[in-house]
């Protein structure tokens, strides 16, 4: 098959660069899973709440306007994806952000909401 692109040499160099920089399939899947985890609106709200500091499930539910059962379910997904962590303090389990890089992406997305104004 003949290449009809007028930029063959330049693009072949870029393709080689892309291939050298491309993460392994497992890493790509992990990235996709984390994006999927933060893309659900209630989980995103939980992360925005936790960006202010450590909270228990009761107070997370109050902050995001959800019920404790639903919030607990979403916390499990975030924890399974290593985006948040928890620790026990007496009878309470306190949740906090475990991946500050994810929070940086969320903050940039939040700031981007107003860039067209």
């Amino acid at each position: 098959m003949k290449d009809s692109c007028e930029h063959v040499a330049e693009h072949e160099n870029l393709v080689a660069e892309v291939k050298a920089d491309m993460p392994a399939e497992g890493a790509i899947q992990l990235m996709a899973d984390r994006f999927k985890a933060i893309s659900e609106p209630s989980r995103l709200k939980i992360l925005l709440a936790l960006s202010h500091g450590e909270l228990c499930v009761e107070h997370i539910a109050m902050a995001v306007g959800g019920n404790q059962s639903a919030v607990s379910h979403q916390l499990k997904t975030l924890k399974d994806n290593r985006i948040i962590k928890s620790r026990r303090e007496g009878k309470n389990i306190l949740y906090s952000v475990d991946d500050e890089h994810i929070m940086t992406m969320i903050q940039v997305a939040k700031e981007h909401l107003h860039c067209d104004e």
Side-chain angles (χ1 to χ4, degrees):
M1 180 169 151
K2 184 179 177 191
D3 196 334
S4 63
C5 182
E6 296 175 13
H7 305 278
V8 174
E10 179 185 348
H11 288 177
E12 285 178 350
N13 288 337
L14 287 174
V15 168
E17 249 181 72
V18 168
K19 285 184 171 186
D21 193 41
M22 188 67 65
E25 286 301 317
I28 292 287
Q29 186 61 53
L30 181 60
M31 290 168 61
D33 290 345
R34 289 198 175 150
F35 277 119
K36 183 178 176 183
I38 66 171
S39 69
E40 199 282 325
S42 61
R43 290 192 288 265
L44 188 53
K45 287 170 71 174
I46 290 168
L47 289 169
L48 289 165
L50 291 176
S51 71
H52 292 271
E54 190 175 60
L55 292 167
C56 65
V57 68
E58 177 182 355
H59 291 112
I60 294 169
M62 288 172 64
V64 303
N67 67 57
Q68 286 188 34
S69 175
V71 167
S72 291
H73 177 73
Q74 301 302 348
L75 287 168
K76 179 180 180 342
T77 298
L78 291 168
K79 193 171 176 187
D80 289 349
N81 281 280
R82 301 175 77 189
I83 297 169
I84 64 167
K85 61 187 174 184
S86 64
R87 70 179 183 87
R88 181 172 289 282
E89 186 176 279
K91 291 191 254 180
N92 293 315
I93 297 177
L94 301 172
Y95 295 89
S96 61
V97 173
D98 193 27
D99 189 337
E100 288 300 329
H101 295 103
I102 295 281
M103 295 312 299
T104 299
M105 292 187 314
I106 290 170
Q107 186 59 39
V108 169
K110 186 177 169 187
E111 291 167 8
H112 187 70
L113 291 172
H114 306 291
C115 72
D116 291 337
E117 295 175 357

